[in-house]
Amino acid sequence: MRCILKKAFIFLLSISFAASCKSDKKIMSQNTVPVAKKMPKSLSIHGDTRIDNYYWLNDREDKEVLDYLNEEKTYYEKMMQHTVSFQNTLFEEMKSRIKEDDSSVPYRQNGYWYATRYELGKEYPIYSRKADLDNAEVQELFDCNVMAQGLDYFKLGGIAVSPNNELAVYGVDDVSRREYTLKVKNLSTGELYKDTIEKTTGGAVWANDNKTFFYSKKDPVTLRSDKIYKHVLGTSTVEDVLVFHEEDETFDCFVYKTKSKKYIVIGSSSTLTSEYRIIKSDDPNGDFTVFAERARGIEYSIAHYKDDFYILTNKDDATNFKLMKTAEANTSSASWEDFIPHRKDVLLEDIEIFKDFYVISERENGLAKIKIVRWDSGESYFLPFEDETYTAYVGTNPDFDTEIVRYGYNSLTTPSSIIDFNMRTQEKDIKKEQEVLGGKFLKENYTSERIWATARDGVKIPMSVVYHKDTKLDGSSPLLQYGYGSYGYTLDPNFSTVRLSLLDRGFIYVIAHVRGSEYLGRQWYEDGKLLKKQNSFTDFIDCSKYLIAHKYTSPEHLYAEGGSAGGLLMGAVVNMEPSLYHGVIAAVPFVDVVTTMLDDTIPLTTGEYDEWGNPNDKAYYEYMKAYSPYDNVTSIEYPNMLITTGLHDSQVQYWEPAKWVAKLRDLKKDSNLLLFDINMDAGHGGASGRFESLKEVAKEYAFLIDLEKKIN
């Protein structure tokens, strides 16, 4: 994968200049490590000045910037050239386990069964439906393979079908900036209406008149969803009515319809605060009324049932959330009454409402639990799950008048199942079990467990572990440790057919459930953000040390990976403990924390002050500067590193990893690999095709496995 060059030799190879070039940008051959020019920029605040030599890389329209990115891409391809055949092997191996001509389990909504299928050799899904009638024919709604022809990237947004089942609003993103163009299709004739709306979030909600729909639009600069509009079919979009404008730059807004179909709801939320507005679906020209006014630090969400609303909230210091109830005629927070009280050791995550039952999703000691409760008697029970560590979730259940709840289940060793469970008879019907093709997978060949490391402050940090039963636990086995630890997002221990390509080659795979997620409840999140963010990094490091001490692996065989905010985690740990890891993958990493959080024109910045802090406040500035990966690159030896980005990334701008790579190349004192893989056609989520995305995983696995081969 790489010929390792001494830094002095790298420098000698990189000092030639093109005589015709008007700038001082260095021109590289394919065998030369790229060197970005330095253009020092002073960034001052709070009496402190930072010098950013690579600030100039933040203009994706600048030819010189694009030239540099292409040099990095060329260098990456050159250094990985010897693994191309192996990448193809991995890709075909991963692909061979997946059923190409696959389809989803149909779900019922408003008299139709909706399904998604994939056809042999095609990258994109096909959406269809069938009326809930005997001998009804399948109706094809959208063939994304046809819609994506000629495009480097394609993503179909939310499909909203009108109440009379005749029309659909849908969104299309062909750039990968998560900016969707809304279009309207007649599902009977296939006609596309002239109504086209740009710069939206991709979803819409129909009123009950079948001609009015509401949608959210994005700010063209920050990409913040800040406006809700009303559109009447057949009218010019310039006549669309602005029904809500979220002026607080730390909030985003969205719109949806309650499962009861009675209300259209506008939600507005920041990291710590929520507010909702409602109108009846039968009255699209009415005025939205505030459900309960926002109060700093109070989060809530609402569900409607009969004459009442049910509110999931952290009100009254309910750290792990509780469920409250109020009459639909009086929704102010002063009228809310406890329905399910707060519990210190149980995180209440969600509620799904049906005619005769409601279903509670909660998490206790890190494990997901699903509770079924009768409305009339209060009689309740939990669904039984047997694995030591697993993933369980309530699935797609749009129908209200049914006694069937659909849920999903899998574990690190158990393929996914979609199950229809009769809440009255307690009988379950496994509608689909994930097929692992190829004839080689046997569940009993793999072992999963949950282990606990002790962090430096004495807190126990859980880890989910999986490995092949023949893998040695004597310190000689390669191990990939994955982490995220932000936004309260919990990485559940999911089954992965792709991951088998590592496990079958002797790798151990570990998810470190560090603070910053909600794995152990809401306090677990609170203890890993703002001025406690460093806990996420030290937890990950302490998990690594535990794995080494207990002979799961050794520093020579330990690898780490994280993406987005997990890429920040990677950047922090390699600055703090670089010798612990032989290789690190940082995917679309958020690494220039201070500069980004000081720039309120960048997408996500203002909405994330409650997650990271606002560096316009000196205390937060100093704290995040102390861990920001880009600001803390120093002249030390770093592990082998693969860093990825997408030119059109709207979540983490490409220039963050670009600047980070440039600074690492300049300062690091080792001859280890530093590779920068840039997708010039995609954004935060990478390639849009289902098999194209496997090629990206194959690149990552080839990087890891090749490093391991060089040791052996």
Side-chain angles (χ1 to χ4, degrees):
M1 186 190 309
R2 38 240 131 231
C3 38
I4 299 176
L5 305 174
K6 297 296 183 181
K7 192 169 185 180
F9 183 51
I10 294 171
F11 176 74
L12 288 173
L13 286 176
S14 64
I15 59 174
S16 61
F17 291 82
S20 61
C21 186
K22 294 182 180 179
S23 73
D24 63 350
K25 182 170 70 72
K26 298 176 175 116
I27 306 300
M28 314 299 158
S29 74
Q30 287 189 346
N31 294 319
T32 308
V33 177
V35 177
K37 72 175 182 180
K38 296 180 180 179
M39 293 179 62
K41 182 178 178 63
S42 295
L43 302 170
S44 299
I45 190 173
H46 305 306
D48 180 62
T49 298
R50 293 175 300 129
I51 303 299
D52 189 344
N53 289 321
Y54 306 105
Y55 189 89
W56 66 275
L57 287 171
N58 72 350
D59 184 359
R60 68 166 54 81
E61 304 299 326
D62 186 281
K63 182 179 182 301
E64 195 169 353
V65 171
L66 293 174
D67 286 346
Y68 169 71
L69 295 177
N70 279 308
E71 287 164 4
E72 283 284 5
K73 184 175 179 62
T74 298
Y75 176 71
Y76 163 80
E77 291 171 349
K78 180 67 176 180
M79 298 301 286
M80 290 289 287
Q81 181 62 41
H82 70 284
T83 72
V84 168
S85 177
F86 182 51
Q87 289 177 39
N88 291 332
T89 297
L90 286 170
F91 168 73
E92 293 297 336
E93 183 179 291
M94 295 171 187
K95 185 179 177 183
S96 70
R97 300 191 193 103
I98 299 172
K99 187 178 180 182
E100 288 195 50
D101 53 340
D102 201 5
S103 61
S104 67
V105 179
Y107 64 87
R108 190 180 186 280
Q109 183 172 10
N110 198 24
Y112 281 81
W113 289 95
Y114 288 85
T116 306
R117 75 177 190 276
Y118 288 91
E119 294 185 345
L120 196 67
K122 295 184 178 180
E123 289 281 350
Y124 294 98
I126 299 168
Y127 295 88
S128 65
R129 70 177 181 180
K130 184 173 70 170
D132 190 12
L133 300 169
D134 291 340
N135 302 317
E137 294 184 359
V138 174
Q139 178 187 11
E140 190 172 291
L141 304 179
F142 299 95
D143 185 343
C144 294
N145 300 284
V146 175
M147 299 168 74
Q149 286 179 2
L151 299 173
D152 294 321
Y153 180 91
F154 178 83
K155 184 74 172 180
L156 185 69
I159 301 170
V161 178
S162 59
N164 63 6
N165 293 314
E166 294 181 1
L167 305 170
V169 182
Y170 63 98
V172 170
D173 175 11
D174 57 13
V175 176
S176 190
R177 286 279 288 171
R178 301 190 181 182
E179 292 181 286
Y180 290 84
T181 298
L182 286 182
K183 301 181 180 182
V184 183
K185 183 177 182 178
N186 186 304
L187 297 180
S188 298
T189 66
E191 174 191 0
L192 287 181
Y193 289 28
K194 294 181 180 180
D195 309 61
T196 300
I197 306 168
E198 298 181 343
K199 307 281 186 189
T200 78
T201 58
V205 176
W206 288 95
N208 287 347
D209 64 0
N210 298 296
K211 66 178 182 179
T212 305
F213 62 81
F214 298 83
Y215 62 92
S216 50
K217 203 159 187 175
K218 291 189 171 186
D219 181 281
V221 177
T222 66
L223 301 188
R224 181 173 70 93
S225 173
D226 64 345
K227 295 182 178 71
I228 305 295
Y229 284 89
K230 176 175 63 178
H231 177 76
V232 178
L233 198 64
T235 65
S236 171
T237 57
V238 299
E239 299 175 14
D240 288 0
V241 177
L242 176 64
V243 297
F244 177 66
H245 180 197
E246 179 51 75
E247 297 182 351
D248 189 326
E249 294 182 347
T250 66
F251 280 71
D252 294 294
C253 61
F254 49 93
V255 62
Y256 69 96
K257 185 182 285 187
T258 59
K259 188 173 180 178
S260 67
K261 309 302 182 188
K262 187 174 182 178
Y263 290 94
I264 292 172
V265 183
I266 292 176
S268 193
S269 65
S270 68
T271 304
L272 296 176
T273 308
S274 310
E275 185 178 65
Y276 291 85
R277 288 166 168 78
I278 58 175
I279 61 167
K280 290 186 177 179
S281 303
D282 290 332
D283 185 23
N285 295 320
D287 294 326
F288 281 87
T289 59
V290 176
F291 185 89
E293 292 186 356
R294 67 187 69 180
R296 172 74 176 170
I298 302 299
E299 299 173 61
Y300 72 93
S301 59
I302 59 177
H304 178 253
Y305 177 68
K306 292 187 175 179
D307 297 326
D308 299 304
F309 280 99
Y310 291 81
I311 306 107
L312 185 65
T313 181
N314 65 347
K315 186 176 179 286
D316 305 320
D317 298 319
T319 305
N320 274 335
F321 288 75
K322 62 180 178 178
L323 192 65
M324 304 186 78
K325 175 183 177 182
T326 192
E328 61 181 351
N330 189 5
T331 62
S332 67
S333 60
S335 302
W336 300 356
E337 298 178 350
D338 279 5
F339 186 74
I340 298 178
H342 176 254
R343 291 161 292 172
K344 182 179 179 181
D345 298 323
V346 178
L347 175 65
L348 186 58
E349 294 187 313
D350 203 3
I351 179 174
E352 185 78 53
I353 287 175
F354 299 89
K355 180 182 177 182
D356 297 321
F357 300 86
Y358 61 93
V359 179
I360 295 295
S361 297
E362 55 189 45
R363 189 178 296 271
E364 184 174 11
N365 195 32
L367 299 179
K369 302 174 74 175
I370 298 175
K371 185 178 184 179
I372 313 295
V373 189
R374 287 195 65 97
W375 282 113
D376 54 4
S377 66
E379 178 185 352
S380 66
Y381 56 91
F382 287 96
L383 298 182
F385 304 127
E386 298 176 356
D387 290 285
E388 180 180 355
T389 180
Y390 59 84
T391 296
Y393 59 92
V394 176
T396 302
N397 292 274
D399 252 12
F400 171 75
D401 189 4
T402 178
E403 57 189 25
I404 302 296
V405 60
R406 176 168 294 174
Y407 72 93
Y409 181 85
N410 65 87
S411 74
L412 290 168
T413 59
T414 306
S416 299
S417 293
I418 302 298
I419 301 164
D420 279 358
F421 183 84
N422 189 302
M423 295 179 280
R424 179 179 56 83
T425 66
Q426 299 189 30
E427 297 174 324
K428 71 177 184 179
D429 179 12
I430 300 176
K431 306 300 292 186
K432 183 176 182 178
E433 290 181 296
Q434 180 183 4
E435 294 183 60
V436 184
L437 303 183
K440 298 180 180 179
F441 173 76
L442 292 173
K443 175 182 176 179
E444 53 268 28
N445 284 340
Y446 303 89
T447 300
S448 68
E449 55 185 311
R450 190 165 62 153
I451 57 179
W452 301 75
T454 302
R456 59 197 66 187
D457 61 358
V459 174
K460 296 290 187 181
I461 312 299
M463 291 179 278
S464 297
V465 183
V466 63
Y467 50 88
H468 194 281
K469 67 178 184 180
D470 295 334
T471 298
K472 296 178 180 179
L473 302 182
D474 61 0
S476 66
S477 294
L479 185 150
L480 177 58
Q481 181 181 336
Y482 195 93
Y484 188 74
S486 293
Y487 304 106
Y489 178 74
T490 297
L491 289 170
D492 280 312
N494 292 304
F495 182 80
S496 168
T497 61
V498 172
R499 191 187 302 133
L500 295 174
S501 291
L502 284 182
L503 302 184
D504 291 347
R505 288 176 171 83
F507 272 74
I508 301 168
Y509 184 85
V510 175
I511 302 171
H513 301 290
V514 300
R515 280 172 281 189
S517 75
E518 287 187 341
Y519 187 82
L520 292 179
R522 178 68 176 203
Q523 194 59 48
W524 200 248
Y525 170 44
E526 299 291 340
D527 289 342
K529 70 174 192 176
L530 296 174
L531 298 177
K532 296 181 179 180
K533 185 65 219 170
Q534 296 259 20
N535 283 336
S536 301
F537 315 141
T538 55
D539 283 357
F540 192 88
I541 290 169
D542 292 340
C543 285
S544 299
K545 292 180 177 179
Y546 176 96
L547 293 166
I548 292 169
H550 288 78
K551 301 296 185 182
Y552 284 88
T553 191
S554 61
E556 294 78 18
H557 301 283
L558 178 57
Y559 304 90
E561 182 175 8
S564 194
L568 163 63
L569 175 64
M570 296 300 101
V573 301
V574 296
N575 282 336
M576 297 166 70
E577 294 274 4
S579 62
L580 270 181
Y581 308 96
H582 185 55
V584 171
I585 298 174
V588 293
F590 173 43
V591 286
D592 191 13
V593 184
V594 179
T595 304
T596 291
M597 294 305 298
L598 281 169
D599 187 350
D600 59 12
T601 68
I602 294 176
L604 300 184
T605 292
T606 56
E608 305 214 339
Y609 289 153
D610 288 332
E611 178 71 26
W612 311 103
N614 185 344
N616 291 294
D617 180 323
K618 185 178 181 181
Y620 286 113
Y621 172 82
E622 291 177 343
Y623 187 81
M624 66 176 62
K625 183 186 174 186
Y627 70 73
S628 173
Y630 181 63
D631 290 291
N632 288 281
V633 174
T634 55
S635 296
I636 58 175
E637 293 186 357
Y638 284 89
N640 298 284
M641 297 175 69
L642 170 61
I643 299 165
T644 69
T645 193
L647 181 63
H648 300 290
D649 197 329
S650 61
Q651 310 302 106
V652 178
Q653 304 297 318
Y654 74 89
W655 58 76
E656 292 199 38
K659 289 164 56 178
W660 187 38
V661 169
K663 191 172 183 179
L664 282 165
R665 290 206 189 285
D666 181 52
L667 293 179
K668 73 190 193 85
K669 295 297 185 182
D670 59 84
S671 57
N672 289 328
L673 288 164
L674 175 58
L675 302 177
F676 189 26
D677 184 18
I678 307 162
N679 189 325
M680 301 298 283
D681 299 314
H684 200 64
S688 57
R690 118 173 124 139
F691 295 123
E692 283 300 310
S693 62
L694 290 181
K695 293 179 181 178
E696 296 181 349
V697 180
K699 288 181 179 181
E700 295 179 0
Y701 283 11
F703 172 77
L704 297 173
I705 295 168
D706 190 64
L707 286 176
E708 190 64 18
K709 286 179 179 177
K710 291 182 184 302
I711 298 173
N712 301 322

